[in-house]
Amino acid sequence: MEEIIRFYEHQVAHHTAVRDRLRQQIHRFGTLRLLLFASAVAAIWLFRENGWAVLTATATVFAVPFAILMVRHTQLFVRKTYAEAMIRLNLSERQGIDYDFSAFDGAPEKADTHHPFSLDLDLFGDRSLFQSINRTVTETGKSLLADWFMQPLTDRFAILRRRQAIRELASKTHFRQHFHVTGSAAKGDRDDMRLLAALAGRSTRFTAGPVWRVLTYSVPVIWLFLLAGNVWWGIPPAAAGWMLAASFLIANLPGKRIHRLHQSVEKMERVLRTYSQLMEQVENEPFRSDELASVQQLLVTREGKASLAVKRLSRIVGALDQRFSMAGLLLNLFYLRDMRQAMALEQWLKTHAQHFGAWFEALAATDALCSLGGFAFNHPDYAYPDFADGSFRMEGKALGHPLIHRDKCVRNDVCIPACPYFLVITGANMAGKSTYLRTVGVNFLLACTGLPAYAESLTVYPASLMTSLRTADSLTANESYFFAELKRLKTVIDRLHAGEELFIILDEVLKGTNSKDKQKGSLALMRQLIAQKTCGLIATHDLLLGTLEDEFPGEVGNCCFEADISGDDLLFTYRLRKGVAHNMNACFLMKKMGITL
């Protein structure tokens, strides 16, 4: 980790130096522009008696270098903005190494109490697994990344294919950071794709009609004829007045239709330009992995590169955005500019609308994969899992939870050697049972997403994950806690009956009923799960479940987290041990809290 920390600190120092140098250059260029302007004013005042020719020449002498300085100033400002974004990114990544992920989006809107495991494993929200990984800069990329975690892969070859791409991107730090900073410059909206898809489905109104094509050429030709005729042939100025009225009528006749067309893409120029830049980066990057190469191929069609096409669309949208400016209004009168841009937009759609979906799918996939590659880069001490063949198996050494600080995280092994097999985990309150269940679940999820796991070594069999750790009651649905938990368990049984291969993680099932029913129901549930030939873990305070190991030898194993009581002290090691727990601490804790027993 020291090497990763040094990398981010070096990046911050490097881009800070670049930013400071650019600030100095911008200041110097600003000073030069001010001096040029003052000199131009003085020169024009000095030569004010020498006629318009001399004044025009004088203004031109100063205007040309002033314009050059303006262009240079804009270039320097763009570079400074880029350097500042790089500083923010690397500072945020450095904070992330210390488990502060507040700079990144945890997608709390994705949290779903009905999802098979996302709520139980703290997948979304503040200080969530997703927040620690997510570096996406497009809405489609964030949604795709969230889908990858909510629907992890169960095909070993698909996981290995994605892993190949993740490992490649982990080594392409410059590409990932450049992609992130470029995308952050003008983030899109979640409605962008919906608007563009609706736009792609529009019927053509202007390019289909020959009348408008004729008018776009004839109107500017007539204006040129009138101008030349007024200079050389004595055509009266009144003719220009009649033509102005006709041009106004022609230009505004399709105004409502052009306005509706413009509304579909209004104010999207910067976003589309950003998409174009991101696509260009993907097109030009040499990729070796199959996943990234196939993504890259989606951006190249017979009509050319996606980046060039989207840049062209950005320019058309930008021109439409300027239609109510003074220049836009004048050009519309003399050149029918609005009509030309509407026709250009429709022609663009006829040529490229069919590729929309593939282009933005490629962009979203690259965005999501960059996040996964960044996570792999940030955790060089994590291990890429091996995958078991045939039937379920999960064996790992020194598993830790990726959201618990590495200096405080107590790491434990896991062993589910065959199928069916259930690991029954008993132990005292606060001894570490629930944290262990989440640790196993999160590392299983990382493995099935293609990422390295927080373990020295791990072997898993990819299956569908199902958990029941923190079921909640629902006032709006008029459901008690117990009924909500039963519904969750019924979902597990139904999926098993449907033939799904599940990896099941349960924490203290049937908490919402009396101890006798709870004990009887828990034993019955475990027997049914074992009969269904499935695998998983269950944490419980009920020591009677420890007897299942005798009833199902080789299919049930007992482990425990003990609380060691020494005098008035309660000690937790958070170490997983073999066997059934002996020490329970509820009475001890109640006494410590002053509750008389």
Side-chain angles (χ1 to χ4, degrees):
M1 292 305 302
E2 291 300 321
E3 185 178 344
I4 304 300
I5 291 171
R6 282 196 301 271
F7 170 81
Y8 287 124
E9 290 177 346
H10 175 267
Q11 288 289 95
V12 171
H14 169 71
H15 290 290
T16 300
V18 170
R19 180 203 61 191
D20 293 343
R21 186 173 67 251
L22 289 169
R23 280 178 175 174
Q24 293 174 358
Q25 291 177 357
I26 289 170
H27 178 72
R28 285 197 296 268
F29 276 95
T31 304
L32 284 173
R33 283 165 50 212
L34 182 61
L35 289 173
L36 270 174
F37 180 77
S39 300
V41 171
I44 290 172
W45 174 259
L46 185 64
F47 296 118
R48 67 186 182 281
E49 306 289 344
N50 293 60
W52 284 106
V54 173
L55 289 176
T56 302
T58 302
T60 303
V61 166
F62 286 97
V64 171
F66 188 87
I68 293 172
L69 287 174
M70 281 287 291
V71 172
R72 182 61 177 156
H73 177 273
T74 301
Q75 293 172 342
L76 291 173
F77 189 81
V78 169
R79 288 172 56 192
K80 180 179 77 72
T81 302
Y82 180 89
E84 288 170 343
M86 274 290 190
I87 294 168
R88 287 193 299 271
L89 172 61
N90 283 279
L91 281 173
S92 298
E93 292 287 7
R94 177 64 185 87
Q95 291 170 353
I97 298 298
D98 289 331
Y99 300 87
D100 178 2
F101 310 115
S102 56
F104 305 112
D105 186 357
E109 72 279 2
K110 297 288 185 180
D112 180 7
T113 57
H114 301 294
H115 188 266
F117 57 81
S118 67
L119 187 67
D120 289 339
L121 298 185
D122 303 301
L123 188 52
F124 299 109
D126 290 336
R127 293 200 54 78
S128 65
L129 181 67
F130 188 81
Q131 188 181 37
S132 73
I133 295 172
N134 178 34
R135 303 293 185 270
T136 56
V137 289
T138 65
E139 281 295 326
T140 51
K142 185 177 83 168
S143 294
L144 181 61
L145 183 64
D147 288 344
W148 284 355
F149 279 102
M150 290 190 291
Q151 302 169 21
L153 296 170
T154 55
D155 180 79
R156 181 167 65 96
F157 295 104
I159 297 171
L160 292 174
R161 177 183 167 94
R162 183 184 292 169
R163 178 195 292 184
Q164 186 187 28
I166 292 170
R167 298 186 84 151
E168 181 174 4
L169 284 173
S171 66
K172 289 181 177 289
T173 312
H174 174 74
F175 172 82
R176 285 187 289 100
Q177 292 204 336
H178 185 42
F179 189 94
H180 181 93
V181 168
T182 302
S184 299
K187 280 196 172 185
D189 188 88
R190 66 181 60 190
D191 290 330
D192 286 350
M193 295 306 103
R194 181 180 59 80
L195 290 173
L196 290 172
L199 181 66
R202 289 178 64 97
S203 60
T204 57
R205 291 174 176 264
F206 304 112
T207 54
V211 174
W212 289 113
R213 288 202 300 272
V214 171
L215 285 172
T216 55
Y217 287 102
S218 59
V219 168
V221 168
I222 293 172
W223 274 113
L224 288 173
F225 175 78
L226 288 174
L227 178 63
N230 182 259
V231 173
W232 289 303
W233 305 315
I235 295 177
W242 286 106
M243 183 59 193
L244 187 64
S247 294
F248 183 83
L249 180 64
I250 293 170
N252 286 280
L253 195 62
K256 288 185 178 180
R257 284 182 288 169
I258 293 175
H259 182 67
R260 284 196 295 269
L261 182 66
H262 178 215
Q263 280 185 316
S264 304
V265 288
E266 190 175 9
K267 306 301 183 186
M268 287 184 62
E269 179 193 6
R270 283 192 68 203
V271 174
L272 289 169
R273 187 167 67 245
T274 298
Y275 288 155
S276 171
Q277 293 168 348
L278 293 175
M279 290 174 181
E280 185 178 14
Q281 290 174 29
V282 179
E283 290 165 354
N284 295 334
E285 186 70 18
F287 291 123
R288 299 184 307 275
S289 62
D290 294 340
E291 184 88 2
L292 289 168
S294 63
V295 165
Q296 193 175 53
Q297 289 169 5
L298 291 174
L299 296 175
V300 181
T301 66
R302 288 182 301 175
E303 290 80 15
K305 291 184 175 181
S307 60
L308 297 177
V310 176
K311 184 184 292 185
R312 167 68 176 152
L313 178 61
S314 171
R315 289 172 179 166
I316 295 170
V317 171
L320 284 171
D321 286 342
Q322 299 300 317
R323 57 195 297 256
F324 293 119
S325 67
M326 182 59 69
L329 291 171
L330 289 174
L331 284 171
N332 199 33
L333 283 175
F334 298 109
Y335 188 63
L336 294 187
R337 183 172 181 261
D338 288 359
M339 177 60 63
R340 288 176 178 272
Q341 298 306 323
M343 293 173 68
L345 179 55
E346 288 188 346
Q347 186 59 52
W348 191 96
L349 291 170
K350 285 174 66 176
T351 305
H352 300 294
Q354 59 183 319
H355 306 303
F356 253 15
W359 288 349
F360 288 100
E361 177 187 330
L363 197 59
T366 306
D367 199 11
L369 286 169
C370 280
S371 287
L372 300 183
F375 180 82
F377 174 81
N378 286 339
H379 298 90
D381 53 334
Y382 285 22
Y384 284 97
D386 296 320
F387 293 98
D389 292 319
S391 62
F392 192 91
R393 181 163 63 94
M394 184 173 185
E395 297 177 319
K397 290 186 179 298
L399 270 67
H401 198 295
L403 298 182
I404 299 177
H405 198 288
R406 66 186 69 84
D407 296 336
K408 299 177 181 178
C409 184
V410 178
R411 300 165 65 174
N412 289 289
D413 298 346
V414 64
C415 183
I416 300 177
C419 183
Y421 193 90
F422 251 86
L423 201 58
V424 177
I425 303 163
T426 51
N429 296 296
M430 303 185 300
K433 300 189 304 298
S434 297
T435 299
Y436 178 72
L437 295 183
R438 291 188 175 90
T439 297
V440 173
V442 164
N443 281 288
F444 180 83
L445 180 59
L446 292 176
C448 293
T449 310
L451 289 167
Y454 190 10
E456 287 183 8
S457 64
L458 182 64
T459 299
V460 299
Y461 178 88
S464 297
L465 180 62
M466 187 76 197
T467 67
S468 181
L469 305 181
R470 51 159 72 107
T471 308
D473 56 2
S474 174
L475 293 175
T476 57
N478 195 27
E479 289 181 357
S480 68
Y481 178 92
F482 182 65
F483 185 67
E485 188 177 17
L486 285 181
K487 284 177 62 178
R488 187 81 167 184
L489 295 176
K490 183 181 184 301
T491 301
V492 173
I493 299 301
D494 289 345
R495 292 179 67 178
L496 289 172
H497 284 159
E500 287 191 61
E501 289 185 292
L502 297 184
F503 178 44
I504 302 167
I505 302 179
L506 307 173
D507 189 9
E508 203 62 52
V509 297
L510 305 179
K511 293 186 285 290
T513 188
N514 64 75
S515 57
K516 185 175 181 180
D517 278 347
K518 174 180 177 295
Q519 188 178 84
K520 184 177 179 181
S522 297
L523 287 168
L525 174 66
M526 288 299 297
R527 291 183 179 114
Q528 187 171 2
L529 292 176
I530 294 167
Q532 289 291 327
K533 304 296 182 184
T534 190
C535 293
L537 300 87
I538 180 170
T540 180
H541 289 99
D542 192 342
L543 303 184
L544 189 63
L545 264 64
T547 62
L548 288 171
E549 186 178 42
D550 299 326
E551 186 178 343
F552 299 100
E555 295 180 342
V556 174
N558 286 321
C559 288
C560 65
F561 287 95
E562 288 284 20
D564 298 322
I565 300 173
S566 177
D568 288 335
D569 294 324
L570 185 65
L571 305 176
F572 296 108
T573 65
Y574 305 112
R575 292 288 182 186
L576 189 67
R577 308 177 188 179
K578 289 287 187 182
V580 179
H582 297 289
N583 296 328
M584 292 296 163
N585 61 4
C587 293
F588 178 88
L589 289 172
M590 291 173 72
K591 280 185 177 181
K592 293 281 283 185
M593 297 295 289
I595 301 172
T596 304
L597 298 176

